[in-house]
Amino acid sequence: MSDSNLHLNTLAVHAGGESDPQTGAVVAPIHLATTFRHGPSGERVGGYEYQREGNPTNDRLCAAIAALEGGAGAITFASGMAAISNLLESLPAGTRIAIPDDCYTGLRALAAEFLPQRAINVVTINMADTHAVEAACADGIDLIWAETPSNPRMQVCDIAALAKIAHAHDALLACDNTFASPVLQQPLALGADIVMHSTTKYFGGHSDVLGGALVFARADGLHARVAHRVHITGATLAPFSAWLTLRGCRSLPARMAMHCSNARAVANFLSTHSAIERVNYPGLASHPGHEVAKRQMRDFGGMLSIELSGGKPAALDMAGRLRLFTNATSLGGCESLVEHRASVEGANPVSPGNLLRLSIGLEHVDDLIADLEAALA
Ligand code: PLP
């Protein structure tokens, strides 16, 4: 079901969820088969041949994600990074890409270590500064990569403005929508050409399944090239992972509502605390991207970062003293997490030493605030 007249909450429950035609089972079956029987002339019997190329459980998930993002088609991958690298490495040699100066560390590593080997050139710019993006495009950019809100500084860029600039220069706009999820923000409706997700995060929602997805505004040549690339290079999402992620879709809007309301209360609390120098949360009126976020997001999400007045020692001390927040990387699960980003960014961290990233979970918000208060005492 992908009827565009349906509300997003309804699509989340039903898209890719038709009952099993053979048994009537209301919940989608998991097809684990790696290979599918041929007909007498070697033809495909049920439309499938080999799991790396496609399988029914994965197709259900692709239908669900495409419906939620309002795209013409989706492709899923074994991880978010597989989605990013399969897209960018499908671009012709000589392509010039602009990426944000604040973005997921894996994209930065891909841009520094791997893309140049394929003659794909990368420039880094402040995506919140549309003049800087204009200037980069005037110099010749083929694809703009946006990530909003960004990881970990929660910067917001104006998707509609970036799409206008990109298209005026015959460039594409791709947007990492992992932090917002389609529940809060739909970049294709704002003019983006491609949306990317680490489905490991909010889509899966329970910190137990790795995956990634690309959603395309048009089922065009690029969509076909990326689909062919994943079939050949084999970064295919496993059926059980596809099934868990599809199950995550059903409760995504309900979970996002609670992530958002908890994060708003936590951000408000932390923004009044004397030990905190800065709270990066686009829902706060003081956030430089607040007005843009209000325009393009339905709510402000479950992620925030804080910068402590006492520097790196205070940040490490706070992370170590929290009891309900687990000190671990990743985000988007039911449980709240805290992470000292600079510590996980390798030899040359770009995150400030005093920054902690918080993934606000689904616990009672009073318990979360009490935990934060005690850790800061
Ligand atoms: N994009 C963002 C914003 C992320 O936070 C992450 C991972 O944390 C990724 C992409 C990469 O996703 P994965 O870990 O599923 O490969």
Side-chain angles (χ1 to χ4, degrees), residues 137-175:
C137 282
D139 280 351
I141 287 292
D142 304 297
L143 184 139
I144 298 174
W145 186 275
E147 184 183 308
T148 182
S150 67
N151 185 357
R153 293 172 111 163
M154 304 300 299
Q155 287 175 357
V156 170
C157 61
D158 185 334
I159 299 171
L162 293 187
K164 241 190 208 153
I165 297 170
H167 297 158
H169 292 86
D170 288 329
L172 295 172
L173 174 64
C175 184

Side-chain angles (χ1 to χ4, degrees), residues 182-260:
V183 176
L184 307 183
Q185 176 174 279
Q186 289 169 305
L188 300 182
L190 296 164
D193 302 286
I194 303 147
V195 167
M196 175 264 153
H197 280 283
S198 165
T199 57
T200 312
K201 316 301 180 189
Y202 288 108
F203 266 100
H206 295 76
S207 307
D208 56 9
V209 57
L210 200 69
L214 295 173
V215 190
F216 293 79
R218 297 166 298 280
D220 56 9
L222 181 60
H223 174 267
R225 272 205 311 283
V226 178
H228 181 59
R229 188 181 171 83
V230 68
H231 298 164
I232 298 304
T233 60
T236 314
L237 185 66
F240 186 51
S241 299
W243 187 86
L244 282 172
T245 310
L246 185 62
R247 185 167 73 162
C249 290
R250 308 298 180 233
S251 57
L252 182 63
R255 285 185 282 109
M256 289 314 294
M258 197 159 165
H259 284 298
C260 290

Side-chain angles (χ1 to χ4, degrees), residues 79-81 84 104 147 151 176 178-179 196 198 200-201 210-211 331:
S79 69
M81 281 311 299
I84 299 175
Y104 175 58
E147 184 183 308
N151 185 357
D176 183 334
T178 300
F179 270 29
M196 175 264 153
S198 165
T200 312
K201 316 301 180 189
L210 200 69
L331 60 117

